[in-house]
Amino acid sequence: MSYLDTIEELCQAGLHPGRTCRETKAATGKKLIGCVPYHTPDEVIYAGGCVPVGLWGGNPEFKQADRYLQSFCCGLLRAVVEYSMDGTYSILSGIVVPTFCDSMKCTLENLKLSAPEGMPVLGMSYGQQRKLKAGREYTIREYKRIRHEIEKIAGVAITNEKVEDAFALYEDYRGTMRAFEDAAAEHPEIITAKKRMMIIKAGLFMDKAVYTPKVKEIIAGLKEEGPSAFDGKKIIITGIMAEPAGILDIFEENGLAIAADEMSLGSRLWRARSREDVEDVYERMAYRFADTEADCFMYEPEKLRGQYMLALKEKYDADAVVVMMMKFCDPEQYDYPIYKAELEQAGIPMLYMEVDQQTTGFEQLRTRIQSFREMLMQQ
């Protein structure tokens, strides 16, 4: 099987999360633990013999969730609650919810009632003063608390050695994804906008021991290709996630390739490197969280996202930045005026789009993307 077949396999896995989760459970025989975005302690879950899978919303017909969540809650979390109530999450053995924003806190409490009866729902809180020792120690205590809860779900003891092995596996995954970013940027005619994001998304629903070798196969195949024949424009995208996928089709129609991303369902999952000079595995995990920067969910007085995107543009020789603003996402909206001013000062073309996972009509967005492309072509 060629690497092009592997690309198609992972694209289909990303497009069909429910099916992929069922296949993962059947193939591995492991319990699945749902992880509401993001920065969940995946290594601790994996060390318990379970597979962490992402709960990143979707496009359900809302029938029940709006009884519990306000109408101005983001569509991602509303969809999570809807799926928990309609039985979609019955395949799971537990759910972990971080509490980075007010809507996540509401979702945590709602899931305790709406999840299938008897399913454990675990809140995960992080020390936002993560640069301080006290903040790291608090985060470590949370990791160990979740470890204890996963032990009860899995019925096994989670030793430090198991956590170390899981951390090594996830470090391999994160390093592989950084390499994939670079390889994909070299061949946007092969890794189109939609394929790029679906390949990334597939990793949320697969065992990393299975997923990472497939991505390495894709990287090796891309490196054997000759020079790229792509003659369109390259963009940096920023936001929570690049959905609905129909928007990515419009990018492709207009010759726009994603050179890099600054997204929660994207590079924020892997861009922070762990410290090699720290031996304790829980400290390495805490430091990796502490060293995460340019992230809307992190306490960061300096607000480095604009500078980070400027560096991405320079590295990948991108032509513009596209903001995919999730509707009603307060943390994202708070950051926008700051990095908007920085990008404008640097003379970077920028397109702002408010998106919602439940969007079904794309004609207005198609017109705006077409106009933006025409503007770029004239520069």
Side-chain angles (χ1 to χ4, degrees):
M1 185 172 71
S2 76
Y3 83 96
L4 296 175
D5 295 322
T6 304
I7 290 174
E8 183 59 28
E9 176 190 351
L10 293 186
C11 285
Q12 290 302 310
L15 282 168
H16 304 285
R19 185 183 72 190
T20 305
C21 287
R22 290 191 295 271
E23 291 173 351
T24 295
K25 185 172 184 177
T28 65
K30 298 178 179 179
K31 294 181 178 180
L32 306 183
I33 304 295
C35 296
V36 176
Y38 76 122
H39 289 305
T40 45
D42 291 5
E43 297 92 335
V44 174
I45 295 169
Y46 196 89
C50 304
V51 178
V53 296
L55 305 184
W56 288 75
N59 188 18
E61 180 181 356
F62 289 109
K63 296 181 178 179
Q64 304 177 78
D66 289 346
R67 291 159 49 194
Y68 298 95
L69 289 171
Q70 65 274 25
S71 59
F72 51 86
C73 176
C74 73
L76 189 162
L77 295 177
R78 288 171 66 212
V80 166
V81 173
E82 185 69 35
Y83 284 140
S84 75
M85 299 182 73
D86 69 11
T88 299
Y89 292 161
S90 60
I91 191 176
L92 304 175
S93 296
I95 298 176
V96 177
V97 187
T99 53
F100 286 111
C101 70
D102 290 341
S103 293
M104 287 184 182
K105 295 172 185 175
C106 294
T107 299
L108 167 63
E109 297 307 316
N110 287 328
L111 285 174
K112 291 177 181 179
L113 294 176
S114 64
E117 187 174 355
M119 180 178 292
V121 177
L122 314 175
M124 174 72 194
S125 181
Y126 289 83
Q128 280 288 10
Q129 287 286 3
R130 63 197 188 284
K131 304 292 185 181
L132 304 179
K133 181 180 179 181
R136 294 193 303 273
E137 289 176 345
Y138 176 83
T139 299
I140 290 171
R141 288 198 300 271
E142 284 289 278
Y143 286 143
K144 292 183 176 180
R145 181 181 62 81
I146 295 296
R147 179 195 67 188
H148 178 65
E149 296 298 329
I150 296 298
E151 285 178 329
K152 292 190 288 187
I153 294 172
V156 299
I158 301 177
T159 64
N160 284 359
E161 290 76 15
K162 289 180 179 179
V163 179
E164 288 168 359
D165 290 343
F167 186 80
L169 176 69
Y170 272 77
E171 278 295 278
D172 184 36
Y173 153 73
R174 288 186 279 262
T176 299
M177 297 311 296
R178 290 192 288 268
F180 171 75
E181 279 189 294
D182 294 339
E186 291 293 323
H187 289 283
E189 79 285 1
I190 298 174
I191 308 296
T192 61
K194 187 173 182 178
K195 288 181 179 178
R196 183 186 187 278
M197 299 314 298
M198 290 306 108
I199 289 170
I200 292 170
K201 189 174 180 180
L204 302 175
F205 317 116
M206 299 173 65
D207 188 323
K208 294 298 188 291
V210 176
Y211 173 78
T212 303
K214 292 182 182 294
V215 179
K216 289 180 178 179
E217 180 186 343
I218 293 172
I219 295 169
L222 291 173
K223 288 183 176 179
E224 292 179 0
E225 296 286 344
S228 172
F230 180 74
D231 62 353
K233 295 294 183 178
K234 296 181 179 181
I235 59 174
I236 307 294
I237 59 173
T238 185
I240 299 297
M241 59 196 305
E243 290 196 6
I247 299 174
L248 302 177
D249 289 327
I250 301 173
F251 286 162
E252 295 175 21
E253 291 170 13
N254 288 275
L256 298 177
I258 299 175
D261 74 78
E262 193 288 303
M263 306 200 93
S264 295
L265 205 172
S267 66
R268 294 179 195 169
L269 293 170
W270 59 72
R271 69 189 185 208
R273 300 171 184 264
S274 68
R275 297 196 181 189
E276 298 298 330
D277 58 343
V278 177
E279 292 186 5
D280 181 79
V281 66
Y282 290 100
E283 281 196 44
R284 292 186 74 187
M285 290 169 63
Y287 266 114
R288 203 182 75 80
F289 175 76
D291 292 339
T292 299
E293 296 181 335
D295 187 320
C296 69
F297 291 111
M298 304 295 185
Y299 171 67
E300 187 176 70
E302 302 87 355
K303 293 296 183 183
L304 300 174
R305 283 181 69 185
Q307 297 305 310
Y308 182 79
M309 282 187 271
L310 288 173
L312 284 180
K313 181 191 180 300
E314 185 71 21
K315 177 180 178 180
Y316 293 101
D317 191 27
D319 299 289
V321 171
V322 174
V323 181
M324 300 187 73
M325 180 64 69
M326 180 169 285
K327 194 173 182 180
F328 300 129
C329 180
D330 291 344
E332 279 286 324
Q333 291 170 345
Y334 292 148
D335 278 2
Y336 175 67
I338 300 170
Y339 69 73
K340 175 179 182 287
E342 293 175 331
L343 294 176
E344 287 179 342
Q345 185 176 9
I348 309 300
M350 182 174 61
L351 173 63
Y352 176 95
M353 302 188 302
E354 188 175 66
V355 299
D356 192 301
Q357 279 187 301
Q358 290 74 46
T359 299
T360 55
F362 302 109
E363 292 312 307
Q364 186 180 63
L365 288 175
R366 176 174 278 106
T367 300
R368 295 188 62 208
I369 293 170
Q370 288 173 341
S371 300
F372 186 65
R373 175 188 178 276
E374 290 172 5
M375 182 194 73
L376 293 178
M377 296 299 291
Q378 292 171 4
Q379 292 185 342

